[in-house]
């Protein structure tokens, strides 16, 4: 049985007048506990197995989803609760806790409890509220149960936030160490400056030295070993006054790897970069037309170089750097001093780690 079929079956009603398409989830004599016990046991076992499988599949990143499995687990729990409440209602006829059930002995609907349990479980896992309520309304195609569904969603989210402020997706992002930045989150920078987060010991490519295929490949291998395969290399030249190094451009690790693959047969050949290259190719068709007249020099890596990387002065506020990463989606920011000389690089992973450390200290 698929996840959607399981949820549909658990949402089904067992009252008289409804077709009993799901007889295994309905009890002929709900007033007798020995009649409802096999159903409770079967649904409870299904709930445990479904919960364990969901934990395993989501943990090992199998594309099994989290929405339908969470709905299934919650629906099982709600169905069990509904069966128990139905049995208690039959045992305590006329009790004050069931005031509206004096005339109608079948007023307890286990399918409604399954629906409420599914909504509450999914809200606690994903921390969704309004969208989840709308989804439940679309599943049932009615607004009859709008109040219990909305109340269950709000209560589940409140309890879940009290136990753990972050939802399942936020926790997975943290565990996977993905460079994700929340646009709504605000930080208190205090006396911190850009120099506190700038990486000055990164590998660079200097144009005043001879760069061959072998030397660049060795630098790329060193970068890969440090786990920074999604970063790159600043390309620098000596300042005309010999005061320091100035930026020429930036080349990403993936672009450099692709360029080195094309010239791997000549390891001792010299590779060069220059800033006179113009990105005149605007489409695939124009690329085909240009290659008919111009034979590209494979050892000229200028085509792979970002000649205008985002730069920020070392005396700029940290909020500006945060805006670069969060709103502009930058992968790296080059830091220069007030004279425009190169100082270092801040990549997105470094920035995310810096923000995490800042949150822990605060």
């Amino acid at each position: 049985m698929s996840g959607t079929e399981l949820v549909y079956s658990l949402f089904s009603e067992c009252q008289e007048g409804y077709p009993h398409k799901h007889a295994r989830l309905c009890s002929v004599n709900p007033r007798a506990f020995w009649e409802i016990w096999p159903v409770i046991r079967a649904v409870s076992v299904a709930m445990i197995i479904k919960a364990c499988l969901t934990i395993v599949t989501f943990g090992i990143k199998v594309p099994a989803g989290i929405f339908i499995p969470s709905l299934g687990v919650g629906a099982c729990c709600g169905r069990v609760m509904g069966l128990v409440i139905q049995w208690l209602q039959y045992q305590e006829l006329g009790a004050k806790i069931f005031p509206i059930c004096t005339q109608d002995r079948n007023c307890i609907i286990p399918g409604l409890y399954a629906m409420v349990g599914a909504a509450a479980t999914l809200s606690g896992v994903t921390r969704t509220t309004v969208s989840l309520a709308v989804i439940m309304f679309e599943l049932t195609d009615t607004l009859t149960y709008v109040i219990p569904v909305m109340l269950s969603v709000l209560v589940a989210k409140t309890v879940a936030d009290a136990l753990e402020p972050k939802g399942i997706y936020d926790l997975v992002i943290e565990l996977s160490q993905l460079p994700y930045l929340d646009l709504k989150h605000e930080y208190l920078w205090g006396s911190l400056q850009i120099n506190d987060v700038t990486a000055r010991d990164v590998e660079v490519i200097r144009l005043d030295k001879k760069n061959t295929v072998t030397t660049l490949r060795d630098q790329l291998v060193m970068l890969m070993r440090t786990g920074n395969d999604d970063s790159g290399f600043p390309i620098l030249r000596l300042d005309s006054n010999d005061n320091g190094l100035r930026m020429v451009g930036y080349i990403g690790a993936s672009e450099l790897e692709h360029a080195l693959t094309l010239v791997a047969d000549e390891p001792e050949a010299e590779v060069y970069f220059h800033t006179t290259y113009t990105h005149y190719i605007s489409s695939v068709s124009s690329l085909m037309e240009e290659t008919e007249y111009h034979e590209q020099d494979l050892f000229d890596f200028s085509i792979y170089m970002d000649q205008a990387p985002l730069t920020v002065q070392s005396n700029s506020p940290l909020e500006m750097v945060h805006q670069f990463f969060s709103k502009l989606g930058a992968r790296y920011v080059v830091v220069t001093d007030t004279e425009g000389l190169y100082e270092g690089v801040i990549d997105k992973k470094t920035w995310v780690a810096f923000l995490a450390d800042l949150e822990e200290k605060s």
Side-chain angles (χ1 to χ4, degrees), residues 194 198 309-317 320-321 324 333-337 341 343-344 346:
I194 290 182
T198 303
L310 284 173
T311 59
V312 62
Q313 290 188 0
S314 56
N315 59 351
S316 301
M320 180 182 295
V321 180
F324 282 169
V333 175
V334 179
V335 181
T336 62
D337 62 9
L341 299 177
E343 286 199 356
I346 305 174

Side-chain angles (χ1 to χ4, degrees), residues 296-312:
Q296 180 183 350
D297 185 359
L298 296 179
F299 298 97
D300 182 6
F301 286 7
S302 302
I303 187 175
Y304 307 104
M305 179 178 62
D306 181 7
Q307 299 184 25
L310 284 173
T311 59
V312 62

Side-chain angles (χ1 to χ4, degrees), residues 46-72:
M47 177 185 65
I48 296 173
I49 295 176
K50 189 71 173 177
C52 294
L53 291 177
T54 302
I55 294 172
V56 172
T57 56
F58 194 77
I60 63 178
K61 300 180 181 179
V62 172
I66 193 67
F67 262 67
I68 297 300
S70 297
L71 286 175

Side-chain angles (χ1 to χ4, degrees), residues 145-193:
Y145 307 125
V146 57
I147 299 300
V149 169
M150 294 182 67
L151 284 177
S152 66
V153 169
L154 292 176
V155 171
K157 187 178 186 304
T158 302
V159 174
D161 288 340
L163 297 176
E164 171 58 52
K166 297 182 180 179
I168 184 67
Y169 297 115
D170 295 325
L171 294 175
V172 169
I173 289 174
E174 282 191 359
L175 291 175
S176 303
Q177 296 182 347
L178 299 177
Y180 172 76
L181 295 174
D182 189 359
L183 296 176
K184 299 179 181 178
H185 195 86
E186 296 182 356
Y187 299 91
L188 297 176
W189 309 112
S191 60
L192 295 174
Q193 299 179 353

Side-chain angles (χ1 to χ4, degrees), residues 63-346:
I66 193 67
F67 262 67
I68 297 300
S70 297
L71 286 175
V73 173
C76 289
C77 183
R79 188 82 183 194
V80 171
M81 180 62 67
L83 290 172
V84 173
I85 296 297
Q86 188 181 45
W87 176 76
L88 289 176
Q89 183 260 327
Y90 276 101
Q91 300 302 314
E92 302 292 339
L93 292 176
K96 293 183 180 180
I97 193 175
F98 305 113
I100 63 174
C101 296
T102 54
Q103 301 297 330
D104 185 8
R105 298 169 62 90
N106 296 322
C107 63
I108 303 298
I109 306 174
L112 173 58
Y113 284 80
M115 186 190 312
V116 173
T121 303
L122 188 56
S123 176
V125 171
T126 62
R127 309 301 166 86
T128 53
T129 52
V130 178
S131 60
L132 176 57
V134 174
I135 290 173
M136 299 305 298
F137 300 153
E138 292 178 349
L139 288 176
T140 57
D141 197 22
T142 179
L143 295 176
T144 305
Y145 307 125
V146 57
I147 299 300
V149 169
M150 294 182 67
L151 284 177
S152 66
V153 169
L154 292 176
V155 171
K157 187 178 186 304
T158 302
V159 174
D161 288 340
L163 297 176
E164 171 58 52
K166 297 182 180 179
I168 184 67
Y169 297 115
D170 295 325
L171 294 175
V172 169
I173 289 174
E174 282 191 359
L175 291 175
S176 303
Q177 296 182 347
L178 299 177
Y180 172 76
L181 295 174
D182 189 359
L183 296 176
K184 299 179 181 178
H185 195 86
E186 296 182 356
Y187 299 91
L188 297 176
W189 309 112
S191 60
L192 295 174
Q193 299 179 353
I194 290 182
N195 292 329
D196 299 325
V197 67
T198 303
R200 293 178 170 82
D201 56 347
V202 296
E203 287 286 331
V204 299
I205 298 175
R206 295 186 55 170
L207 299 185
D208 57 318
K209 298 181 179 180
K210 184 178 180 180
N211 297 297
T212 64
V213 175
T214 302
T215 58
L216 292 180
R217 185 179 58 213
D218 293 341
Q219 286 185 277
L220 182 61
V221 170
M222 291 180 60
L223 185 70
M224 297 291 187
R225 289 177 178 175
T226 59
N228 296 321
D229 52 337
D230 57 344
S231 57
F233 300 90
I235 302 173
L236 310 175
R237 64 171 175 85
L238 283 175
D239 183 51
S240 57
N241 297 325
D242 294 334
N243 294 327
L245 298 172
R246 290 193 178 273
M247 282 290 301
V248 175
Y250 190 96
I251 185 169
S254 57
E255 289 82 1
L256 181 59
E257 182 180 9
H258 171 71
L260 291 174
T261 304
L262 300 178
V263 295
D265 296 335
E266 301 183 48
E268 300 303 324
E270 184 176 1
V271 175
Y272 54 92
F273 303 85
H274 58 78
T275 58
T276 59
Y277 180 82
T278 305
H279 294 274
Y280 53 85
I281 299 175
S282 58
S283 64
V284 176
S285 59
S286 61
L287 173 62
M288 297 176 62
E289 294 176 358
E290 291 293 339
T291 52
E292 294 179 359
Y293 302 101
H294 302 280
E295 184 178 355
Q296 180 183 350
D297 185 359
L298 296 179
F299 298 97
D300 182 6
F301 286 7
S302 302
I303 187 175
Y304 307 104
M305 179 178 62
D306 181 7
Q307 299 184 25
L310 284 173
T311 59
V312 62
Q313 290 188 0
S314 56
N315 59 351
S316 301
L318 285 173
E319 182 63 27
M320 180 182 295
V321 180
H322 184 64
Q323 298 296 329
F324 282 169
F325 286 115
S326 60
K327 293 187 176 181
L328 298 183
R331 293 187 303 167
Y332 54 86
V333 175
V334 179
V335 181
T336 62
D337 62 9
T338 55
E339 300 296 330
L341 299 177
Y342 169 81
E343 286 199 356
V345 177
I346 305 174

